[in-house]
Every structure is written in structure tokens, then in C-alpha cells.
Amino acid sequence: MINLSIRFSRVWHRNFDVFVKYMYVSLIGNLGDPILYLVAMGFGLGTFLGTIEGVSYVQFLAPGIIVSAAMFAATYECTYMSFLKMIHLKTYDAIIVTPVNIEDVVVGDIVWGTSKALFSAGIVCVVVAACGLMHSAWALLLPLLILIVGFHFASLAMCVTSTCPNFDYYSYFFELFITPLFFFSGIFFPLTHFPPWLRLVAHCSPLTHAVELSRALIMGYPPPHAAISVSILIIPAIILFYVSIVRMKKRIIK
Amino acid sequence: MESIARARQLVKKYAHTVAVAGIDFEILENECFGFIGPNGAGKTTAMKMLYCFLPRTGGTLEVLGRDPSVHPELIKRDLGVIPQDTNLDTDLNVFENLTCYARYFGIPHAAASARAAELLDFVHLTEKRTSEIEELSSGMRRRLLIARGLINSPRLLILDEPTVGLDPQARHLIWNKLRELRAQNVTLILTTHYMDEAAELCDRVAVMDKGTILATGNPRELIRAHIGQEVLELNLTGIDPNAALAELRRLPVKVEASGQKLYIHCEDGRQVLHLLTESGYRHITRRPATLEDVFLTLTGRDLVD
Ligand SMILES: Nc1ncnc2c1ncn2[C@@H]1O[C@H](COP(=O)(O)OP(=O)(O)O)[C@@H](O)[C@H]1O
Ligand SMILES: [Mg+2]
């Protein structure tokens, strides 16, 4: 039985308070990477590349960096940070003897991971806009896309956390899953030169669809297959969300 | 008096262990009830079922008039918990630990701040208000944990080993605080493996070992019923134990052997001591019977690890 309530917001609030407290440290940790990719690859490498699909390389890169920032932020919160609170700091144990139930704690952390995605990717959006790389009013829908991507990866990460025995397990998750997604989801180069079967594989990645949607919103053209892309982001997210609650409950309440 | 918690044939099995093997107890309003027993007896497991952390495997359980397996949040609202492992929120400072915890109970911000300040005063931590958790001694952490457990003004406070690992000063400070809470009509349930602590604080205790309750009652009454008034310890070094036992068999006493000692339970120690001294025995210590004697008698002196 799932016993979820609005009390999950109290867990979210706790995470928010801690975030505000360590704001400056986490700012650097969160934004260093995406901005570095944008500058080093976009403006550095990009100057040697001419144009890709009719736009400058940094223009090509920016939409993908935005959604990948959402992926990394949500994943980090619901892997390492949630595991730390669950196993090492026993924060979860302390919370669930109050009227906040374990389901509320798990959902509070997933919603927090999603918020963190919005924050991190949101700042990348601001930087991208400041560089004059936003070309359409459709870009105003980016926060919604970021929320969906954040929720998707937060739920996935929480599923991984529900079975994670120790921190090493996450290195495998990152090396075997998250990093390949980052490099093969059409962020750094178009997938058009892949053989058809590999293109199909790449389109199983939710991040590929997020990148396509992001690029379409920023450039103002209709996305190639919007309905499929949105479904591939949302439907698994809902399933993963549900599964993560059930499995985390099973893990903590023996 | 109203019943605060009641268990019948309560059982908890983990994958490979039966931690609680069918226990019965009833805890009344305004009393201080202790579960005493060695490590591994099942005390923490019993507490975790009481504070709605673990589901039970069998039997019935009622806490504050409700079944923890149905809407635990309604019980937890009126419950204060001081867990065995100090799980303060190390990302927050002392004061924030209390106000953040208050939020889990839905206490509005202003009321939470006022209550937190009041509780810091109660546990003598007002000066540490803005300290980080790492800066606190273990005694201070335990006191903060108690303050945190009181944030929702609970009817029932459950404390799992509240003084384990603390120095005597820190222990006594906590004992005093628990007595003050008793005076404020908070019902206390605590576990301890310090028998003196149980005798000091508890109106009634349940003696636990290997997942079962061996006896329940008022500490003084348990001592009187199981041991008597006094205990003589006879050091057996250089003495034939059988001769000593034969001698003692003629007296109105109960004798237990453990290691190099005989423990003689009796009502009038002076008289027995006199008789033994006359028979030429030396190295005898005479002392009042304690809860520890009850515990060791019930669990078997030699079997306890
Ligand atoms: N989470 C757990 N999983 C499996 N066994 C456990 C768990 N917690 C406690 N036990 C076992 O249950 C028994 C009782 O433990 P516990 O309730 O902690 O006793 P106490 O608090 O009296 O020291 C012990 O044998 C212990 O090893
Ligand atoms: Mg214990």
C-alpha cells in the first residue's frame, strides 16, 4: 500500500534549506561542468568546425547542454545525495518517525531532484540566452521540458538507489549508462551519420528526445516527432516513479 | 489508568533471526516503563515496532489507542522518539535541527521557533544554538536528540538506550531531564542495559532476553520476589565449593554459582554472614540485592555473554 501525502513538501523544504545554506559551494559544482562544455567545446572547438546542420557549433551544442545539465543535476541528487541521507546520515530514519511517511520522503527527494534540475539547467538557459543563442519564443517552454527531463532522471536515479549497495555501484551506473547517454544522444554531433540501427538505439535514449525537443524549441521549428519524444520522456518516468517508491519502501521498512 | 501501549504475542522476524519472539506487555499513562536486557535481546526491535518504524510479523499491537499498521502518521503525531543511533541532521545547525524537525510535524514556523528555543533551554544547549552538529560532544548530541524528540510536545516519549556511551555527568543530566518530564506527565518508555539506570528511573521494567520477556514488574518488587533483601558474595579461591554448598544448604538462602564466586540470596544478610564467619569462611562481601541480580538470576549467570 502506498501511503503518500502532501507532507512530501516538508522533505523538499528540508533539502531546499540545506541547498540555500551551501548555495555557493553547490553553485560551482552544478554549473562548472555545463558552462565548461559550452565554452571549451562550443567556442573553443567550435571555431574550427564551421557549421553543423546550418548553424554554428556552439548553437548546435547549447540545446543539448541545457537538458544534459538537467539530467546530471537530478541524477546526482537522487543517487549520491539520497543514498547518503538514507544509509550514512540516517536522515530518512529520523524523518519517518514523524508523521512524514517513507513514501513522502522518497517523493520529496524526487521532487527535489527535479527542482535541482530546473535550477541548474535554468542557469545554463540564462547563459545561453545571454550569448544570443535563443532564437524563438518557443524557448519559453524550455522550463517545462527541463522539469520533465529532471523528473524522468530523478525517478530513474531513485530506482537505482533502491537497489544500490554502496557508492561504487553508482560509478557503474554513471560509466555504463549516464555518460554514454551524454555522448550518444545527439548533443555533440548529429545522429544523421549513424547507420540506421544505431540511430534506432540512440532514439531509445530519453536524452536524445530531450535534445531534439530542446533544439526545436530554441530554433523555433517543429520537432521531428514531438508526440513520440514526449511519450518516451513521460511514460517511463511515471513507471519509474511508482517503482522507486515501492522499492525504496521495501528497502527501508523490513 | 489509561493504557498507552499494549502488545499481545508480539513477534518480529528478520530474514534469519527471530528478534522478538512473542511478547506481552501493557504500558500505562504517566508511567516510566523500561525494557532491560543485554545487547541482542530484541529491545530496539520492540521499540521500532512501537514507534511505527517496523511492521510486526505477528501478534497484536496498540500504541496510543491505534494499530501502527493502520495510519501510523496519526500515532506518530503524538510520539517522541529518541533512537539508539544519533541521527541528527548534520547538514543543519543545532537550532535548525529543531525547527526543521518541527516542520515534519506541520508546526508553523513561529511556534516552532518558540518551542525550539524553549527546548534548547530545557536541555542546556541555548549557547550552542548556532553550532554545527560536529562541534557537539556526544552528551550534547544526546540532549539535542531529546529536545528534538520533544518538539511536538508528545504524550509518549520512546527512548532507546538514552545514555549509552555517556560519561557519568552526562548520564545524570539526562536522568534529571527524564525525571522532569515524568513530572510533566509525559509517559516514558525506555530501553537500557544499565540495570542501575532502570532501577533509578523506571516504575516498572520488563526483563528481556533472546526475544522474550522473562519478568515484568516494579524494580523493588522484582528484587524482593526473585532475590530477597541482600546478597552475600563468597569468594571461592582456596575453598572447596561442595563443602561450602553443603554448609549453605542448611540455611534459609538461595545460592547461585558463577565463576569463582557463590552468590547467596537472603533476607537477613547479617545473620547468614555471622553463621558463615563462625564456620571459618572469609572473603565475604555483603550488599543489598539489585536489579542486576534479578537479571542475572533470570537469564542464568553463566550464560550471559
Ligand atoms: N535489521 C536487522 N536485520 C536482521 N537482524 C536484525 C536486524 N536488527 C536486529 N537484528 C537482530 O535481532 C536481534 C535483536 O536485536 P535488537 O533488537 O537490536 O536488540 P537490542 O536492542 O536488545 O540489542 C539481534 O540478534 C540482531 O542481530
Ligand atoms: Mg538496542
Side-chain angles (χ1 to χ4, degrees):
Chain A
M1 189 185 72
I2 291 198
N3 197 351
L4 179 63
S5 72
I6 188 66
R7 288 184 287 272
F8 79 81
S9 65
R10 299 172 189 171
V11 178
W12 182 92
H13 209 136
R14 179 257 170 215
N15 291 332
F16 178 77
D17 286 352
V18 173
F19 168 70
V20 170
K21 183 169 176 178
Y22 298 111
M23 181 82 136
Y24 296 109
V25 187
S26 59
L27 262 180
I28 297 161
N30 274 300
L31 301 172
D33 271 6
I35 305 295
L36 206 65
Y37 277 110
L38 217 54
V39 173
M41 309 278 291
F43 293 111
L45 186 63
T47 48
F48 298 97
L49 290 178
T51 61
I52 287 194
E53 292 187 331
V55 297
S56 70
Y57 188 59
V58 69
Q59 180 70 67
F60 179 81
L61 196 62
I65 295 297
I66 291 171
V67 287
S68 74
M71 172 181 80
F72 281 117
T75 306
Y76 178 72
E77 285 300 324
C78 295
T79 52
Y80 290 107
M81 294 315 281
S82 289
F83 190 81
L84 203 63
K85 284 180 273 183
M86 168 171 67
I87 301 293
H88 296 282
L89 304 178
K90 303 274 175 212
T91 316
Y92 283 9
D93 289 3
I95 300 174
I96 63 179
V97 299
T98 72
V100 177
N101 291 327
I102 181 62
E103 293 89 336
D104 304 321
V105 173
V106 174
V107 171
D109 263 14
I110 291 177
V111 174
W112 171 247
T114 310
S115 312
K116 212 42 202 309
L118 189 63
F119 174 78
S120 296
I123 293 204
V124 183
C125 280
V126 172
V127 172
V128 168
C131 296
L133 300 172
M134 296 284 187
H135 294 291
S136 156
W138 286 102
L140 292 172
L141 285 180
L142 277 172
L144 184 62
L145 174 64
I146 292 165
L147 275 183
I148 295 171
V149 173
F151 179 65
H152 182 106
F153 284 98
S155 301
L156 171 68
M158 195 56 88
C159 273
V160 175
T161 295
S162 72
T163 56
C164 175
N166 52 47
F167 271 175
D168 293 338
Y169 192 77
Y170 289 134
S171 330
Y172 293 120
F173 175 59
F174 274 85
E175 277 163 32
L176 298 175
F177 193 77
I178 296 294
T179 310
L181 282 195
F182 182 47
F183 285 110
F184 295 101
S185 293
I187 297 173
F188 295 99
F189 50 86
L191 300 174
T192 39
H193 297 294
F194 274 0
W197 67 271
L198 198 54
R199 226 160 52 210
L200 197 68
V201 171
H203 275 87
C204 292
S205 150
L207 193 60
T208 303
H209 294 276
V211 173
E212 286 180 356
L213 290 172
S214 173
R215 207 165 269 147
L217 291 175
I218 286 175
M219 301 308 295
Y221 60 77
H225 26 244
I228 293 177
S229 294
V230 171
S231 309
I232 284 186
L233 283 167
I234 289 181
I235 294 170
I238 291 169
I239 296 169
L240 290 166
F241 177 70
Y242 178 79
V243 171
S244 71
I245 297 172
V246 173
R247 298 180 65 137
M248 285 293 279
K249 182 171 183 178
K250 212 162 165 186
R251 169 165 192 166
I252 291 170
I253 313 284
K254 296 217 185 65
Chain B
M1 241 185 282
E2 203 189 330
S3 160
I4 284 281
R6 187 187 303 148
R8 294 276 172 272
Q9 286 307 303
L10 182 63
V11 175
K12 179 67 196 183
K13 293 186 180 129
Y14 293 113
H16 305 288
T17 341
V18 181
V20 171
I23 59 174
D24 295 81
F25 57 81
E26 176 159 29
I27 295 158
L28 303 176
E29 189 154 29
N30 294 344
E31 75 174 333
C32 176
F33 191 95
F35 287 85
I36 60 179
N39 291 327
K43 306 182 297 295
T44 295
T45 305
M47 292 310 106
K48 283 181 174 174
M49 287 190 280
L50 277 170
Y51 61 70
C52 313
F53 186 91
L54 283 177
R56 61 184 183 269
T57 316
T60 61
L61 180 62
E62 210 180 272
V63 184
L64 298 174
R66 294 174 196 274
D67 182 339
S69 61
V70 189
H71 291 302
E73 62 275 9
L74 297 180
I75 299 174
K76 291 191 285 182
R77 208 171 49 182
D78 297 320
L79 211 60
V81 177
I82 286 86
Q84 186 174 343
D85 306 317
T86 305
N87 56 15
L88 294 164
D89 198 326
T90 48
D91 286 327
L92 302 172
N93 72 22
V94 167
F95 193 72
E96 291 163 343
N97 256 277
L98 298 181
T99 50
C100 180
Y101 216 67
R103 187 161 56 220
Y104 298 139
F105 286 92
I107 300 169
H109 185 71
S113 297
R115 178 81 179 140
E118 186 184 308
L119 285 169
L120 282 186
D121 189 45
F122 177 67
V123 298
H124 307 304
L125 284 174
T126 303
E127 272 145 50
K128 298 285 172 186
R129 186 185 162 104
T130 54
S131 298
E132 295 299 325
I133 303 305
E134 295 96 85
E135 301 163 30
L136 303 183
S137 71
S138 51
M140 289 174 181
R141 285 178 206 205
R142 207 63 62 82
R143 267 144 55 202
L144 181 57
L145 213 54
I146 291 177
R148 193 185 73 174
L150 292 168
I151 197 79
N152 57 327
S153 312
R155 277 176 70 196
L156 169 62
L157 190 65
I158 299 177
L159 307 104
D160 195 357
E161 307 270 5
T163 63
V164 70
L166 299 186
D167 62 49
Q169 268 97 349
R171 266 180 95 192
H172 279 273
L173 181 49
I174 287 185
W175 287 1
N176 287 337
K177 291 299 144 190
L178 296 184
R179 284 195 200 98
E180 283 179 43
L181 287 171
R182 284 273 287 110
Q184 295 166 24
N185 292 334
V186 180
T187 307
L188 302 178
I189 301 178
L190 60 88
T191 76
T192 180
H193 59 260
Y194 300 126
M195 300 301 151
D196 57 333
E197 178 162 294
E200 187 76 29
L201 295 174
C202 299
D203 303 306
R204 287 192 306 142
V205 295
V207 182
M208 272 193 95
D209 190 34
K210 300 190 183 78
T212 59
I213 291 180
L214 303 175
T216 306
N218 172 274
R220 264 187 308 278
E221 283 162 14
L222 282 178
I223 294 168
R224 204 171 306 133
H226 290 272
I227 309 292
Q229 289 291 341
E230 294 185 83
V231 174
L232 300 184
E233 295 182 11
L234 172 59
N235 198 323
L236 286 174
T237 321
I239 293 176
D240 173 16
N242 291 325
L245 282 170
E247 186 90 32
L248 288 164
R249 212 159 284 142
R250 290 185 285 135
L251 302 173
V253 297
K254 234 173 66 193
V255 184
E256 285 183 1
S258 175
Q260 278 300 301
K261 271 187 180 173
L262 288 184
Y263 293 83
I264 303 153
H265 303 169
C266 52
E267 289 303 326
D268 184 359
R270 205 173 60 94
Q271 189 196 358
V272 179
L273 178 64
H274 185 69
L275 289 169
L276 285 172
T277 326
E278 291 219 314
S279 309
Y281 289 100
R282 299 285 176 271
H283 308 296
I284 302 170
T285 318
R286 177 185 165 203
R287 59 171 176 79
T290 65
L291 200 52
E292 191 145 345
D293 295 307
V294 176
F295 177 74
L296 293 172
T297 298
L298 288 173
T299 53
R301 286 197 191 253
D302 278 331
L303 298 177
V304 180
D305 53 35

